[in-house]
Amino acid sequence: MKGELTMDETANIAAITAEPRRSSFEKYAWLFMRLSGAVLLVLVLVHVYVNVVAGDGVFKVDFAFVAGKWASPFWQLWDFLILLLAVLHGTNGVRVIIADYAARPALRFWLNTLVTAAAALMLVAGALTIFTFDPCPGAVGDLPSFCPVPAAPSH
């Protein structure tokens, strides 16, 4: 009959017009960039306000100030969230740049591996710094007010 498609023609049209099946990873990576960017903006603005704008400004930021802040689990978590989101946001951005400019799959693989390893090292180093920070080291100096004063050596 005129105007009717054969089964082969229908299959060919369906194959041509069907969208390719894609992983939803790129969609979630795109969403992550938007959401993490918005959350980072809030976290960093509060961080800058608390550290620089409020009180005596940048002149109060010293060892004692940081030690006092990191004595609180709240500020440790706050700063770790900034670190975590900034590293993941940046790593995802570099991953997209690698996908755009590294034409060979092997090169793309190794560059992504290198970037992922660097991100993991930054996260480990930053987490160790934040969560194992000793606010009362043994040395005498500009210590926070909550640190015990070491006894003077007797002669």
Side-chain angles (χ1 to χ4, degrees):
M1 288 188 206
K2 208 171 191 170
E4 287 188 35
L5 298 175
T6 66
M7 195 178 274
D8 286 339
E9 292 172 324
T10 305
N12 286 340
I13 291 172
I16 292 170
T17 59
E19 289 194 27
R21 298 186 98 195
R22 287 184 252 193
S23 163
S24 58
F25 175 79
E26 290 301 326
K27 177 177 81 171
Y28 291 120
W30 182 86
L31 281 171
F32 172 77
M33 289 299 278
R34 274 60 188 173
L35 294 174
S36 67
V39 172
L40 270 169
L41 184 63
V42 172
L43 290 172
V44 170
L45 286 176
V46 171
H47 177 85
V48 168
Y49 178 79
V50 167
N51 290 337
V52 179
V53 177
D56 297 332
V58 73
F59 300 106
K60 75 174 179 178
V61 179
D62 57 9
F63 179 85
F65 176 79
V66 173
K69 263 187 73 186
W70 281 356
S72 164
F74 174 81
W75 288 114
Q76 284 180 325
L77 183 61
W78 189 278
D79 287 349
F80 180 71
L81 282 174
I82 292 174
L83 171 71
L84 178 68
L85 287 177
V87 168
L88 293 178
H89 185 91
T91 301
N92 192 35
V94 172
R95 183 191 62 80
V96 170
I97 292 169
I98 290 169
D100 286 346
Y101 291 103
R104 294 180 309 188
L107 177 62
R108 197 167 36 248
F109 170 80
W110 287 111
L111 288 174
N112 281 322
T113 301
L114 183 66
V115 168
T116 302
L121 285 173
M122 284 187 280
L123 286 174
V124 168
L128 286 172
T129 301
I130 292 170
F131 294 115
T132 65
F133 182 76
D134 182 8
C136 300
V140 177
D142 193 16
L143 295 176
S145 60
F146 56 79
C147 290
V149 178
S154 59
H155 289 80

